[in-house]
Amino acid sequence: MPKFTTQSGEIYFEHRGARANPRVLFIHGLGCQLVQWPESLLEGIVHAGYCAVLLDNRDAGLSTGPEEPPPSVEALLMAQDNPSALRASYTLSDMAADVVALLDHLGQGGAHVIGLSMGGMISQRLAIEHPERVYSLTSIMSSTGNPDLPGPTDETIGGLIQAIATADTETAIAQSIQTAKIFGGPHYDSAVHGIGRFARTAVERAHRPDGVTRQLAAILTAEDRRADLAKMDVPTLVIHGNADPLVPVEAGRDTADAIPGAEYLEIDKLGHDLPEPVIGQIVEAITSHIRAVDVSR
């Protein structure tokens, strides 16, 4: 299997498309695995002439994570108001360093980077701390860590907690589908059109509730990135839906405002999901953004 070892352990990755083509690196969200990217999105990028590189973030899928116990649900809930009371096993910067290690392993000086949700946060840290490795950044349904932004709805928080708490496989699959439907919002049924379609595949491949909890701790303890983003010189596209119940649309607008020269695409009726009806629009926006970048800069 395609794995390599970092200081944090083993990271699993895959390729789509010709290896000689420019690399586009996909970084997924909280608890998500590389099998939860829609094939239509990957194929759209590959057909545009790029090589897609996918990884399981540390503590998810087939990548390893720390052995220490995760924080309790109670500690996570308290950290929403007092992040300093929570100790995270690792940071978003540590996860960005895993991406740098992957690029080194592949012998790549850099890549076009696409980050979704938590992956967008990791991508932002990657662009802040290792700008020479990021040819372009696409931040999808993510946030700057601005503490003044609106938070998720109570129903959304409840769905996330239930997803963490489930243990046996069939219950975990059912809860994963239900959580995806909540995150996806009212306009597109995630179990039919979105990431909810991949619940069984993902849970049967690797069910890692402790990893989800530790990743969530990394998010909750992350600092506000706006000041660092304001100094960034990386071509950036921000994509967000105006029906996102987990990371409200204000977070997308805030991200675009924070990054100098960022393009912003707001998609009507899109929740916190990648439903098939909007994939074409997303692929077109990303490929247009990437093609406009001079990699020799």
Side-chain angles (χ1 to χ4, degrees), residues 49-125:
Y50 299 95
C51 176
V53 181
L54 327 170
L55 80 156
D56 287 334
N57 290 315
R58 69 165 73 182
D59 242 357
L62 304 184
S63 294
T64 58
E67 296 181 357
E68 64 187 75
S72 66
V73 171
E74 291 76 13
L76 294 172
L77 289 172
M78 291 176 59
Q80 291 185 93
D81 296 320
N82 183 20
S84 63
L86 181 65
R87 191 188 73 81
S89 299
Y90 44 80
T91 66
L92 297 177
S93 292
D94 294 331
M95 300 178 83
D98 292 340
V99 179
V100 172
L102 173 57
L103 291 171
D104 289 342
H105 176 77
L106 296 174
Q108 296 295 308
H112 300 282
V113 178
I114 299 172
L116 175 75
S117 194
M118 181 189 73
M121 302 173 194
I122 296 169
S123 300
Q124 291 171 24
R125 286 255 59 103

Side-chain angles (χ1 to χ4, degrees), residues 232-269:
M232 210 169 72
D233 183 23
V234 174
T236 300
L237 169 65
V238 178
I239 301 175
H240 217 103
N242 64 11
D244 191 329
L246 181 64
V247 184
V249 67
E250 289 84 357
R253 297 167 184 167
D254 181 66
T255 303
D257 288 343
I259 301 173
E263 300 176 63
Y264 179 60
L265 172 62
E266 187 168 301
I267 300 179
D268 188 38
K269 299 181 180 179

Side-chain angles (χ1 to χ4, degrees), residues 9-240:
E10 290 187 324
I11 299 294
Y12 180 89
F13 68 97
E14 294 182 1
H15 288 87
R16 300 279 197 283
R19 308 290 177 89
N21 289 341
R23 297 299 208 279
V24 178
L25 181 58
F26 288 78
I27 308 176
H28 223 317
L30 176 66
C32 286
Q33 307 176 45
L34 57 81
V35 295
Q36 289 167 281
W37 288 108
E39 283 298 324
S40 55
L41 174 59
L42 303 177
E43 289 171 2
I45 297 299
V46 169
H47 289 164
Y50 299 95
C51 176
V53 181
L54 327 170
L55 80 156
D56 287 334
N57 290 315
R58 69 165 73 182
D59 242 357
L62 304 184
S63 294
T64 58
E67 296 181 357
E68 64 187 75
S72 66
V73 171
E74 291 76 13
L76 294 172
L77 289 172
M78 291 176 59
Q80 291 185 93
D81 296 320
N82 183 20
S84 63
L86 181 65
R87 191 188 73 81
S89 299
Y90 44 80
T91 66
L92 297 177
S93 292
D94 294 331
M95 300 178 83
D98 292 340
V99 179
V100 172
L102 173 57
L103 291 171
D104 289 342
H105 176 77
L106 296 174
Q108 296 295 308
H112 300 282
V113 178
I114 299 172
L116 175 75
S117 194
M118 181 189 73
M121 302 173 194
I122 296 169
S123 300
Q124 291 171 24
R125 286 255 59 103
L126 179 68
I128 290 166
E129 298 172 15
H130 309 276
E132 73 284 356
R133 312 304 293 268
V134 182
Y135 298 151
S136 72
L137 169 63
T138 300
S139 179
I140 305 176
M141 58 189 78
S142 193
S143 176
T144 63
N146 178 354
D148 297 325
L149 289 170
T153 64
D154 291 342
E155 182 188 22
T156 307
I157 294 173
L160 180 57
I161 291 172
Q162 286 298 317
I164 292 172
T166 52
D168 69 276
T169 299
E170 290 302 319
T171 303
I173 291 168
Q175 187 56 55
S176 180
I177 293 171
Q178 180 59 28
T179 300
K181 288 165 73 74
I182 294 171
F183 288 3
H187 301 289
Y188 301 106
D189 186 340
S190 187
V192 177
H193 302 289
I195 292 176
R197 294 173 294 166
F198 314 129
R200 179 170 293 277
T201 299
V203 172
E204 290 181 346
R205 180 175 182 256
H207 180 45
R208 306 276 297 277
D210 286 355
V212 177
T213 308
R214 284 188 288 258
Q215 288 184 353
L216 184 55
I219 293 173
L220 291 172
T221 56
E223 66 276 15
D224 185 343
R225 291 177 292 281
R226 284 177 296 167
D228 289 331
L229 291 171
K231 304 171 188 174
M232 210 169 72
D233 183 23
V234 174
T236 300
L237 169 65
V238 178
I239 301 175
H240 217 103

